[in-house]
Amino acid sequence: MPAFSFLLRVPFRLRKPYLSKDDATFHLLDNPVRKEKIFQVPMVAATGWKGALRAALWQLSYREDHEVTIRLLGNPRESDAGQAGRLHFFATFFDKIGLEVINPHSRQSGVGERGPILIECVPQGTTGTLLLLYVPFGSLDRREIA
């Protein structure tokens, strides 16, 4: 790997069930959790992690055109510059699938309208690993890397 590259591995345990939306056109449930195409295991896509980090940077006032955002995540797709970011994200896979049940109620009558709705999820307490690869390129400044 290039000089000053590193891999950050962050194991975590879900405090709440993880809900997502799969792209499957046909599924027994209305709301399946996103799954990997071949092995059908639940996952958080690398793009989901990147989007979450971009949103966190946005909350810290690092907008799309800020040098830190561009250095770490690259330019937006609409940009003509086409610079890739130094951070590379990997998908997170889980080994369990569970079900959550919701029962929407009518605001007028307070009674459930159509009965319970099953939502596929990754259950609370399931473990996963976030993997980030940092590969610097261009001019290197040790302060930027730190």
Side-chain angles (χ1 to χ4, degrees):
M1 289 200 324
F4 304 112
S5 297
F6 61 88
L7 179 70
L8 181 64
R9 182 179 181 272
V10 183
F12 63 92
R13 182 179 306 275
L14 295 175
R15 286 195 285 162
K16 295 181 179 179
Y18 173 68
L19 305 172
S20 65
K21 181 79 171 122
D22 197 9
D23 299 333
T25 54
F26 178 75
H27 196 273
L28 183 61
L29 300 173
D30 290 337
N31 303 300
V33 71
R34 184 169 187 175
K35 295 181 193 78
E36 191 269 337
K37 299 280 186 217
I38 305 296
F39 297 109
Q40 295 295 303
V41 294
M43 66 178 279
V44 178
T47 54
W49 285 122
K50 186 175 182 179
L53 181 59
R54 191 178 294 274
L57 288 172
W58 183 273
Q59 293 290 323
L60 296 171
S61 300
Y62 292 99
R63 303 295 184 219
E64 293 289 327
D65 56 349
H66 195 278
E67 67 177 277
V68 172
T69 304
I70 293 172
R71 183 173 55 245
L72 292 177
L73 304 175
N75 289 329
R77 284 193 176 158
E78 309 83 51
S79 174
D80 294 331
Q83 177 181 339
R86 293 180 177 183
L87 280 179
H88 299 274
F89 296 80
F90 295 88
T92 298
F93 300 98
F94 300 103
D95 61 352
K96 297 177 187 169
I97 295 179
L99 290 173
E100 289 288 310
V101 179
I102 61 171
N103 189 10
H105 289 67
S106 167
R107 292 188 185 267
Q108 289 77 26
S109 66
V111 177
E113 294 180 345
R114 65 174 239 195
I117 299 172
L118 297 175
I119 299 175
E120 204 172 46
C121 70
V122 178
Q124 174 182 348
T126 304
T127 58
T129 304
L130 168 63
L131 290 171
L132 290 171
L133 176 63
Y134 181 83
V135 181
F137 55 84
S139 63
L140 295 178
D141 182 1
R142 290 180 190 256
R143 290 173 299 178
E144 289 176 357
I145 295 169

